[in-house]
Amino acid sequence: MSDTPSNSEKKEVIRVLLVDDIPETRENLRKLLAFESDIEVVGAAATGREGIEMARETQPDVILMDINMPDMDGIAATEIINKEIPVSAVVIMSVQEDAAYLRRAMQAGARDFLFKPISGDDLYATIRKAYDLHRATRERFQRAAQAAPEATAKKAERLGKIIVVYSPQGGAGCTTVATNIAFALMREDTRVLLVDADLQFGDVEVFLNLKAQTTIIDLLDTVDDLDEELVESILATHDSGLRVLLAPHHPADADKIKNREDMGKLVEKLAMMYDFVVVDTQTYIDDGLISLFDVADRIVLVANPTLPSIKNARLAFDVMDALEYPPEKVVFVLNRMQSERERGRISAEAIENNLKRKVEGQILLDEKTVISAVNRGVPVIASNRNRSPAKDFIELAAHLRSILSEREEEEELEEPEQVSRKSRGLRLFGG
Ligand SMILES: Nc1ncnc2c1ncn2[C@@H]1O[C@H](COP(=O)(O)OP(=O)(O)OP(=O)(O)O)[C@@H](O)[C@H]1O
Ligand SMILES: [Mg+2]
């Protein structure tokens, strides 16, 4: 052995997890590490996602993480591990040409890096150094986990992001935006669920030409003991493969829901099973809608470039401020934008200046494309992807994906306290 553990009589064993998509690399690392009696390989994962799962199970001291992997790259995985499995120190492995990525990897929370091809001595030294540097953090979180095992487990479960789409004005295109964002987020490696939470007048069923007996009511009733099998049996599936949780079929059914505040809880649980949960909502603000706003990672606020709609958007921003959300939680999107040739057109810049809010997405008004898509039960993005409005939806989804995969320092801020939520609700409604 080339090194002796410094500050302890009893020998510490460093538990290491390997994450690399190339089987030979995993095997080589395993062989190299087998020589070291103070290092134990507790697992080897072939994808970023698998790496996260194994890290949850094994809580390794050090994770050797490849940068380029097909499903989820090492940087994204590092970010998640850094947040969810803080006991583990991540060491990024890459080739020299990836140097530009290294900065991002370090920002994502990696402790150190190794350039491939990796020599044994480099490997041992880097692992031991990362283990030592991470000691204080590791011990702090290990103590916290012993003190409150449940809280730690809860935090570890949610992986998916929640995007709540809201418009303060009926007919502005909330459902159109929600459905198309959901479609545009779908990828082979990304599981997306669309939830129709417009309890009285949910339109998703018609927009997507779906048929199912089961609806959100079936899950709200059992929100405290949901499992994946039950959820799957309730969802409808669009021809494209998109999974959808439908709204009640009849407005009167909405009255059967006893506790609307459970909607937030339900959506959070669904986000443990899906990478993205996109929620279409009603215009009317009630406790149910606020529970959705609270759990949202982002609220997409949809308005039209018309004076009444802009006025309503201003009111909606006031509500978001009253709910004490950080400004970046709200993503402001203009739908039904007219082309520049149109006379009397209100531009996005004019609206930005008026509201002092940044417009993060613009979708072109195009009756023919949008209505024909709805009539056929297909997404707008199935039309020419290189042209607006399909292109606009795709860009908006890409923007959301990118801001949601960035490291979120403000995460803690966004997590609402249950107690204060009630009082905020009261304040909002004139209490
Ligand atoms: N960019 C667009 N171009 C043309 N038509 C659009 C566009 N966006 C939405 N529409 C049309 O406007 C109508 C209202 O859209 P949508 O149902 O999505 O709005 P909503 O805000 O969900 O309405 P509701 O208040 O009824 O829930 C629909 O007929 C839809 O096809
Ligand atoms: Mg709608």
Side-chain angles (χ1 to χ4, degrees), residues 167 169-177 198 201 203 207 280-281 283 335-336 363-367 370-371 374 389 393:
S167 168
Q169 193 201 14
C174 188
T175 303
T176 307
V177 171
D198 184 345
F201 301 109
D203 288 330
F207 268 52
D280 181 21
T281 60
T283 296
N335 182 32
R336 295 169 182 276
I363 293 140
L364 185 74
L365 171 80
D366 180 349
E367 303 282 353
V370 175
I371 291 174
V374 172
F393 286 119

Side-chain angles (χ1 to χ4, degrees), residues 41-60:
V41 175
V42 293
T47 69
R49 218 168 273 279
E50 199 189 337
I52 293 169
E53 258 161 48
M54 282 194 172
R56 276 199 196 119
E57 277 162 34
T58 57
Q59 305 274 314

Side-chain angles (χ1 to χ4, degrees), residues 21-61:
D21 58 323
I22 301 169
E24 297 87 80
T25 311
R26 295 197 300 271
E27 216 29 60
N28 285 341
L29 290 168
R30 226 187 236 288
K31 278 188 195 141
L32 282 172
L33 294 174
F35 293 115
E36 299 303 287
S37 61
D38 65 331
I39 298 176
E40 178 197 355
V41 175
V42 293
T47 69
R49 218 168 273 279
E50 199 189 337
I52 293 169
E53 258 161 48
M54 282 194 172
R56 276 199 196 119
E57 277 162 34
T58 57
Q59 305 274 314
D61 299 315

Side-chain angles (χ1 to χ4, degrees), residues 102-324:
L102 282 179
R103 218 176 116 84
R104 285 186 49 214
M106 300 309 272
Q107 285 166 344
R111 271 284 176 194
D112 209 343
F113 53 87
L114 280 163
F115 282 130
K116 292 178 180 178
I118 299 168
S119 75
D121 285 344
D122 244 5
L123 179 65
Y124 310 142
T126 307
I127 289 177
R128 290 187 185 112
K129 195 171 95 200
Y131 178 80
D132 281 338
L133 282 175
H134 205 63
R135 183 183 300 278
T137 312
R138 181 173 57 248
E139 290 178 352
R140 180 154 48 85
F141 282 102
Q142 278 167 344
R143 276 198 304 275
Q146 273 158 9
E150 272 167 48
T152 317
K154 184 165 172 275
K155 193 134 184 68
E157 277 168 355
R158 175 136 99 79
L159 234 187
K161 300 290 182 189
I162 299 170
I163 299 172
V164 171
V165 184
Y166 173 69
S167 168
Q169 193 201 14
C174 188
T175 303
T176 307
V177 171
T179 49
N180 282 286
I181 289 177
F183 280 119
L185 284 169
M186 275 170 76
R187 283 198 322 212
E188 212 169 295
D189 63 349
T190 311
R191 282 160 56 85
V192 180
L193 172 65
L194 174 65
V195 175
D196 190 347
D198 184 345
L199 296 181
Q200 274 201 305
F201 301 109
D203 288 330
V204 170
E205 184 168 19
V206 182
F207 268 52
L208 302 185
N209 194 14
L210 294 168
K211 263 276 148 281
Q213 290 307 310
T214 47
T215 71
I216 193 167
I217 293 186
D218 301 287
L219 291 185
L220 279 171
D221 284 344
T222 49
V223 68
D224 285 317
D225 34 25
L226 286 187
D227 59 55
E228 206 152 348
E229 204 177 323
L230 172 70
V231 170
E232 292 300 314
S233 73
I234 301 294
L235 301 181
T237 307
H238 183 259
D239 291 341
S240 63
L242 178 69
R243 310 303 312 274
V244 185
L245 179 57
L246 293 174
H249 295 297
H250 204 277
D253 292 342
D255 294 337
K256 291 184 199 153
I257 299 170
K258 279 163 266 136
N259 198 354
R260 286 181 183 226
E261 279 194 30
D262 281 348
M263 292 224 284
K265 205 200 265 183
L266 170 64
V267 165
E268 266 207 310
K269 291 206 165 175
L270 296 171
M272 292 170 192
M273 305 169 197
Y274 285 82
D275 299 306
F276 286 101
V277 179
V278 180
V279 188
D280 181 21
T281 60
Q282 65 199 23
T283 296
Y284 179 69
I285 300 182
D286 61 8
D287 280 350
L289 186 57
I290 294 178
S291 75
L292 292 170
F293 287 163
D294 273 350
V295 299
D297 292 293
R298 286 294 184 280
I299 299 168
V300 173
L301 179 61
V302 181
N304 292 166
T306 63
L307 292 179
S309 185
I310 296 164
K311 186 212 82 187
N312 285 329
R314 180 191 298 282
L315 295 176
F317 276 118
D318 290 345
V319 170
M320 304 300 164
D321 289 344
L323 288 166
E324 292 166 12

